[in-house]
Amino acid sequence: MLLALLLCYGGFTALCLSMDRHHTELLGRKPSVRRRQGMRIHGWLLLALSLWAAVSATGWGLGLVQWFAVLMLSGLLLVLLMPYHPRLMLSLAGVSLLASPVFAFAQC
């Protein structure tokens, strides 16, 4: 479930950074069209991978419920960190994307 949480948080952060307003606020410049599309695609891909991680760990019955819980938790964390600690939000996204392959290999 930790792998699904890390992937969800990274996916939501990528989707957040695909918006002009948030990208400008957090990184100081407007994203190009190509970068915006890439962030959007990678965000949705990470969310799909998090669904796969949750379902493969516990099956469809419990995995889907856990995935929705992880979606809510990572979304809440992102919403609470964005206005007060935006740099921490970006740092956590980087750490989550770096740590997720470690947890993926640990599950195998």
Side-chain angles (χ1 to χ4, degrees), residues 3-106:
L3 177 62
L5 178 68
L6 293 173
L7 291 171
C8 272
Y9 186 77
F12 276 142
T13 304
L15 287 174
C16 175
L17 288 174
S18 72
M19 297 180 203
D20 287 337
R21 177 179 177 220
H22 297 306
H23 195 280
T24 305
E25 182 180 312
L26 293 171
L27 300 177
R29 62 184 183 280
K30 291 193 99 162
S32 65
V33 174
R34 187 175 181 160
R35 177 174 287 206
R36 193 175 334 127
Q37 289 174 347
M39 290 286 217
R40 195 172 297 139
I41 289 169
H42 284 99
W44 284 111
L45 180 66
L46 285 171
L47 289 177
L49 282 173
S50 71
L51 174 63
W52 171 79
V55 168
S56 70
T58 57
W60 280 101
L62 190 59
L64 207 54
V65 173
Q66 287 179 349
W67 183 66
F68 279 113
V70 164
L71 277 175
M72 289 186 287
L73 181 64
S74 60
L76 178 68
L77 184 62
L78 189 70
V79 166
L80 291 177
L81 283 177
M82 180 123 182
Y84 301 111
H85 300 289
R87 293 293 171 194
L88 179 62
M89 182 195 84
L90 288 175
S91 299
L92 283 178
V95 168
S96 73
L97 292 178
L98 288 174
S100 58
V102 173
F103 288 105
F105 285 122

